Amino acid sequence: MAPTTTRDAELPDLTGRRALVTGAGSGIGLEIARALAAAGAEVTLPVRNRDRGARAIAHIRRTAPDARLRLRDLDLARLSTVSALAEDLRAEGAPIHLYVVNAGVVMFGDRTRYLTEDGFELHFQTNFLGHMALTAGLLPLLRQSGARVVLQTSLAAAVSRIRFDDLQLAHHYGALRAYGRSKLALGLAGTELARRSDAERWGVTVVHAHPGVAPATAIATDIRRRLPQPFVRWATAHLGNPPAQAALPALQALTVDAANGDFFAPSGLLQFAGPPRRGHPFRRMVDPVAAGRMWRVADGLLAASGAGGGRLH
C-alpha cells in the first residue's frame, strides 16, 4: 500500500501496528494519534479526562472515519492510575509497536509549587516519573514487539541543568525551571533506556524528539490569561509550529529508519519551527553518567512510593 499523507506527514502503511500515545487528548499528542490512526495503526489514547478523550476521538474520525481507537484512563499525576493501566494492558497481552511519551504539564506563569497526591512536584511526576513508571510497566509488551519508543523532550531541556540534590525544586522553585528539569530528566532516562536495550538485547529502539515552539496548544494557560488577548491570538497564529507540524518530528522518529539515541527536531532557526530533520541531541541529555544516575533515582523513588506501573531495574 502507498504511504498515507496526513496533512504534512507522509507515513508508511501502519496496518497491524498498535500504538500508544500519552497526552493524545489535545494539542500535539492528538495530532500524532490522528496521523498514526489515519495510516492504519490501532491507537490507544490514555487520557485524564474522558470527555476530552471523546472529543479527541471525534476529531480523529473527521479525517480518519475508519480509525481504530481505544480510550483508556491515565493520570500521570496519580501513580495508582499508571499502575492500573499497565496492569490492564499486560493482562491483555497485545504487543505495543509504537509508544510515544508525549503528555506533559507546563505551569509557566504560576508561582505555586504544586505537589501530587503521591508527594512529588507536579512537573517532575507528570513529565518524568509517571512516564518512567508507565514505561517500566509496559516493557514486556514493548520487548515483545521490538517497539519504537519516542520520548518527547523540549527546547527547555537544552538550557536546563540537573541538580540531584534538589531534583524537585524544593528550594528556589520556578515553573520554567521545573519544566525544563523534568524534560531533561526524561531525556536522560531515555538515554539510559536506549543503552540498556542495546546491552541486554531487548530489541527496543528509543528515539528522542521535540516539537519546537507550539503556541497553538494549551501551553502556559496562566500567562495566556494575563497577556493582552490580541497579542495571544497573533502569537498563536504566527509564531512557531502549529500542532500538526509540531507533531512531525515525533512522527518521523516513529516511522523512519532510526537507531537507539537518534534525535529529531524542527529544522528552522534555533529549532523553533520548520520541517523535521534528524539532528544532534542536547549535550546534557546524553551524559551517560547522569543518565544512569537518573535511572537509579527514578527506580528508588518508585520503589519507595509503593505504586506505579513497574520498577526500572
Side-chain angles (χ1 to χ4, degrees):
M1 183 180 294
T4 298
T5 301
T6 308
R7 295 183 186 173
D8 294 327
E10 187 175 84
L11 303 183
D13 180 15
L14 297 176
T15 302
R17 299 281 179 171
R18 293 185 178 91
L20 187 148
V21 183
T22 68
S26 63
I28 296 167
L30 174 55
E31 291 300 323
I32 293 170
R34 183 189 57 75
L36 295 175
E42 177 187 301
V43 184
T44 297
L45 291 76
V47 296
R48 184 178 58 181
N49 183 299
R50 280 270 174 166
D51 290 338
R52 176 176 287 184
R55 291 194 295 271
I57 285 179
H59 171 82
I60 292 171
R61 292 201 189 283
R62 282 198 288 271
T63 55
D66 298 324
R68 295 179 300 147
L69 305 166
R70 300 197 311 163
L71 205 60
R72 304 301 292 261
D73 295 311
L74 174 67
D75 181 353
L76 289 159
R78 296 172 58 215
L79 288 175
S80 60
T81 74
V82 177
S83 179
L85 175 61
E87 288 175 5
D88 286 349
L89 293 177
R90 287 199 309 270
E92 292 173 5
I96 297 172
H97 303 92
L98 305 168
Y99 173 43
V100 189
V101 174
N102 170 79
V105 62
V106 187
M107 302 297 289
F108 297 165
D110 191 333
R111 297 181 180 179
T112 304
R113 180 178 179 269
Y114 296 99
L115 296 180
T116 69
E117 66 178 37
D118 300 299
F120 299 107
E121 192 276 321
L122 181 62
H123 293 89
F124 182 82
Q125 179 168 335
T126 304
N127 301 346
F128 168 59
L129 192 62
H131 272 128
M132 287 297 94
L134 181 61
T135 301
L138 297 180
L139 192 55
L141 305 179
L142 301 173
R143 293 179 62 181
Q144 181 180 341
S145 64
R148 178 72 58 88
V149 176
V150 173
L151 289 88
Q152 194 82 288
T153 185
S154 166
L155 281 169
V159 294
S160 296
R161 292 180 180 272
I162 291 293
R163 282 192 55 186
F164 284 98
D165 61 341
D166 190 23
L167 272 177
Q168 300 182 58
L169 288 98
H171 309 286
H172 308 296
Y173 174 80
L176 179 58
R177 188 180 298 117
Y179 172 71
R181 191 171 294 181
S182 69
K183 284 294 191 177
L184 178 54
L186 181 68
L188 284 167
T191 294
E192 178 64 9
L193 178 61
R195 186 197 68 78
R196 289 178 178 237
S197 181
D198 278 340
E200 301 180 28
R201 300 186 179 181
W202 289 345
V204 175
T205 302
V206 183
V207 183
H208 296 93
H210 82 77
V213 175
T217 63
I219 190 172
T221 53
D222 194 68
I223 288 180
R224 287 169 182 268
R225 286 193 295 266
R226 298 181 194 180
L227 292 173
Q229 291 309 296
F231 172 78
V232 172
R233 289 191 292 271
W234 177 88
T236 298
H238 296 93
L239 296 180
N241 278 331
Q245 188 167 0
L248 296 183
L251 289 168
Q252 190 175 79
L254 282 169
T255 56
V256 304
D257 289 338
N260 266 320
D262 279 358
F263 180 80
F264 294 84
S267 57
L269 181 65
L270 300 177
Q271 300 182 1
F272 279 12
R277 71 178 178 190
R278 195 186 313 253
H280 298 289
F282 306 140
R283 177 176 55 83
R284 291 179 184 142
M285 201 170 68
V286 294
D287 178 342
V289 175
R293 185 176 180 185
M294 184 59 66
W295 184 279
R296 293 189 297 274
V297 166
D299 189 45
L301 291 172
L302 291 174
S305 74
R311 293 285 305 280
L312 292 167
H313 46 243

